Every structure is written in structure tokens, then in C-alpha cells.
Amino acid sequence: MKIENIELRRVRLPLVSPFRTSFGSVSEREALLVHVTTADSEGWAECAAEAEPLYSSEFLDGCELVIRDHLAPRLNAAGERLTAERVAPALAAVKGHRMSKAALETAILDAQLRTSGVSFGGYLGAVSDLVPAGVSVGIMDSIDRLLAAVEGYLDEGYLRIKLKIEPGWDLAPVRAVRERFGPDVLLQVDANTAYTLADARHLARLDPFDLLLIEQPLAEDDMLGHAALATLIQTPVCLDESIESARDAAAAITFGACSIINVKPSRVGGYLEARRIHDVAAAHGVPVWCGGMLETGIGRAANVALAGLPNFVLPGDTSASSRYYAQDLTKPFVLEDGHLRVPTGPGIGVEVLPDVLHDLTVSSSDIRF
Ligand code: NPQ
Ligand code: MG
């Protein structure tokens, strides 16, 4: 396929309520959309980085720069032979910058699949029409507020609750949610690297609450620490930030650093690498689930398709659009009995709403090929 233009568009979506994690609080989602135009098609994707490099080292201004000055020229050099499958090899010389690479590969894959009339789910190998939806619940000012939020999500039908935790907000919120909503609620926690191995005895105090998993308790590069922690606590360890590739996944599993993996296509460089992680984990009998980065409908559509693969056996952070946005960039994803429907149309299977896009755009620029 011959790319004619790559438009980079910064958008700003207000969140329905502030979302606080161990690394910070956000009240709006600033996102970078990648819009690829080819001779006979177009493709959309979003880059999952945040304005500040707090979740990972990538950040929006850096992504725009690396796409413009280092990644797009390499795609241009690939010429008409470029396909979505050839994007990663074409960009391999550039170290890291996986979220930027993922956005380019995904937009090109969308264009390619729209041309051939194949859906993301069909291409990736989804076997489910509906995927179970979980919800990620931020750190709050009080236990009462947390319980009210969790009650609201359970009433909406969410099938799994994930509590964001940090030192000082861990045992008490977990205990309160368990006591209030009972032992049958699927419950897990996410620390976003807020602890060290020295906290192992403290984290073991979560053992009685029968959590599905504890996600990324230690630093992203602390594989050894996670392996040690896994022997000291009963709660299964799940890795998010630590897993940037299928090779990382194989190492972490072999090492005993995790027994569950949160797959985020953006973090690992795209949907093709995400599928390889799914496959590696499946071969080891390790379950995976699909994480989220506060995606708009554009990124959410592709995530939901990925979550339809057979080893995505735990509910993901694939929530309804309304969890984050009063107005999404696409028709909203809505819960159907606690599930989201895998889109079946060509490519990501959703359309960007032009008026909403226009209203929420902060800036845009073109890279002509
Ligand atoms: C996680 N996501 O699993 C991430 C972290 C996260 C749904 O918990 C702006 C952009 C704010 C990306 C907040 C969920 C974010 C973000 C949290 C990602 O670790
Ligand atoms: Mg996480």
C-alpha cells in the first residue's frame, strides 16, 4: 500500500471524573490520533502515551517528534511494498518508542483491513462476539466515596472490579469492598509500581481477601523482585509495565515473575506483538487479559477485538465509553449484560464522528509522503 499522508491530531477529552493512580491524577485525556490516508483507503489509531511520562517513558510531545522525524521517514522509504506486517521490521532500527510504533502500525492495519473488508477481530483471530468488561477504579479521598463508586459500577453490570492502590491506600479499601460486596465479586488491585520488595510482608496482608491478582506491584525493571515476591504472597502476580514484548513475556513466565499478564497493545508496540504475547502465554498455560489506557472509541474498538482471542480468559479494563467520557469520538461502546460487543465491520469497525472530532481537536499537522 502506498501511504499518501499521515495526519497527527491532538485531541482533548474531559473525563467524567478525575482518575487517580499511584503515579498521578488526570481530569482530561489528551490523546494523539494518527490518521493514515492511502490511495483507496484511510486508517485511524491513537497513541496511548500521556502528556507526561509518568506511566512509562513515552509522552505525547515526544511521540509526535519521533513519529515525524524518525518513524514516518522509514515508512516512506519502504514505499509501495509497505503492509501492516512490514511496519515493525521497517521501524526496528529505532529503539523503543513502542507506543508511537503501535499507533502507526495500527492505523496502517486499519487502512489495510478496510481495503480488504476484514475486521480486526477476524484478522487477529477473535473467537468471541462479546467480551466480559471490568472496570478500573481510581484512588479516592475516602472509603465512602470508593464504595459508592464501586456500587455504581456493579449496578451498571461490570463483571470485575480493579482497585488502584498505593502505600496508604491498599488494605483498607480492599477490606471495605470485600466486606460490603461479598466474596463473589471478582476483585483485583493495580499498584503501578508503587511498592518495593521490602513491602512483601505488607502485601501478604492482602492474601485473605482472595484477589484475582495484584498487578505490577514493583518497578517495571524489577523482574527479580517480582519473582521473589511471588513466592512470598498468595495473591497471583500480574505484570503490566514490565512486559514490553513477547520476549519479555517468555522471560517473566520462565522466571516465575508473573502468572498472569495484562496485554496492552500500545505498550508492546502494536496488535501483532500483542497477539504474540497472547500466544506465548497460552503455550505456557498463563492467562491474559486486555488492559486499557483510557482509549477513545478508536483504540477501544481494536482492544475489544483483541480481547476476543481465546486466551483472554479474565475480564479486561475494556470498559464502556461512559466509564471515562460523556462524549466519545465514536459511537459509544455500551455494556450489554456486562459485556462489550466485538465490532464486525472492516478494520476497527467504528467511525470517527466528524463534528466531535472537530470540537475536541487541539492541533493537527500533516506528514506528506
Ligand atoms: C493501568 N490503566 O492498567 C492503566 C494505567 C493508566 C485503566 O488502570 C491517562 C492515560 C491516564 C493513560 C491512567 C487503567 C492513565 C493512563 C492510568 C493509564 O495501569
Ligand atoms: Mg496496570
Side-chain angles (χ1 to χ4, degrees), residues 15 19-21 23-24 26 28-30 48-50 55 135-137 162 164 190 192 215-216 240-241 262 264 289 291-294 317 323-324:
L15 294 176
F19 185 44
R20 182 172 154 203
T21 69
F23 59 85
V26 288
E28 61 171 22
R29 177 64 162 124
E30 190 170 353
E50 290 184 86
Y55 167 82
V135 61
S136 178
V137 186
K162 164 167 134 180
K164 290 295 198 175
D190 185 359
N192 289 109
E215 180 178 347
Q216 198 68 44
D240 173 356
E241 285 90 331
N262 168 340
K264 286 179 184 164
W289 53 280
M293 293 288 285
L294 282 55
D317 283 341
R323 157 66 184 88
Y324 296 109

Side-chain angles (χ1 to χ4, degrees), residues 24-273:
S25 182
V26 288
S27 54
E28 61 171 22
R29 177 64 162 124
E30 190 170 353
L32 174 63
L33 305 183
V34 176
H35 181 207
V36 169
T37 311
T38 68
D40 50 10
S41 189
E42 61 170 344
W44 286 93
E46 71 184 278
C47 178
E50 290 184 86
E52 289 191 274
L54 302 180
Y55 167 82
S56 75
S57 63
E58 294 186 79
F59 64 104
L60 287 175
D61 288 343
C63 293
E64 269 199 65
L65 188 146
V66 82
I67 289 173
R68 173 177 319 285
D69 291 351
H70 303 285
L71 301 179
R74 286 176 162 81
L75 297 182
N76 204 351
E80 308 211 354
R81 290 166 43 81
L82 187 68
T83 61
E85 296 79 8
R86 286 178 171 145
V87 168
L91 303 179
V94 174
K95 311 290 194 206
H97 298 284
R98 289 179 167 82
M99 290 183 183
S100 299
K101 292 176 178 177
L104 287 170
E105 184 192 85
T106 305
I108 290 166
L109 181 56
D110 185 35
Q112 181 172 311
L113 295 180
R114 282 178 199 257
T115 301
S116 56
V118 176
S119 70
F120 254 62
Y123 173 83
L124 293 171
V127 294
S128 315
D129 302 331
L130 292 162
V131 299
V135 61
S136 178
V137 186
I139 294 166
M140 310 240 164
D141 296 333
S142 72
I143 298 287
D144 280 351
R145 291 217 174 126
L146 176 71
L147 292 175
V150 170
E151 179 166 38
Y153 292 133
L154 291 173
D155 287 348
E156 284 182 62
Y158 284 105
L159 298 171
R160 183 225 69 192
I161 300 292
K162 164 167 134 180
L163 302 182
K164 290 295 198 175
I165 60 168
E166 65 183 4
W169 183 266
D170 42 30
L171 301 178
V174 168
R175 181 181 298 114
V177 168
R178 261 290 174 250
E179 279 178 3
R180 174 76 167 272
F181 302 106
D184 293 341
V185 172
L186 299 183
L187 186 63
Q188 64 192 54
V189 293
D190 185 359
N192 289 109
T193 76
Y195 297 89
T196 73
L197 188 55
D199 297 311
R201 275 211 289 184
H202 178 71
L203 294 174
R205 296 178 67 194
L206 290 168
D207 287 351
F209 299 110
D210 195 28
L211 300 176
L212 283 172
L213 57 90
I214 180 169
E215 180 178 347
Q216 198 68 44
L218 314 181
E220 58 270 29
D221 57 355
D222 195 2
M223 211 64 111
L224 186 57
H226 281 104
L229 181 67
T231 69
L232 298 171
I233 65 175
Q234 232 117 73
T235 310
V237 173
C238 170
L239 291 177
D240 173 356
E241 285 90 331
S242 292
I243 306 297
E244 296 191 335
S245 66
R247 184 180 293 130
D248 284 348
I253 293 166
T254 302
F255 218 43
C258 69
S259 52
I260 300 171
I261 294 175
N262 168 340
V263 181
K264 286 179 184 164
S266 52
R267 191 191 68 226
V268 305
Y271 287 84
L272 299 180
E273 189 70 6

Side-chain angles (χ1 to χ4, degrees), residues 131-135 158 290-292 300 303-304 307 315-320 335 340:
V131 299
V135 61
Y158 284 105
C290 184
R300 196 164 298 279
N303 283 351
V304 170
D317 283 341
T318 43
S319 306
L335 287 186
L340 294 188

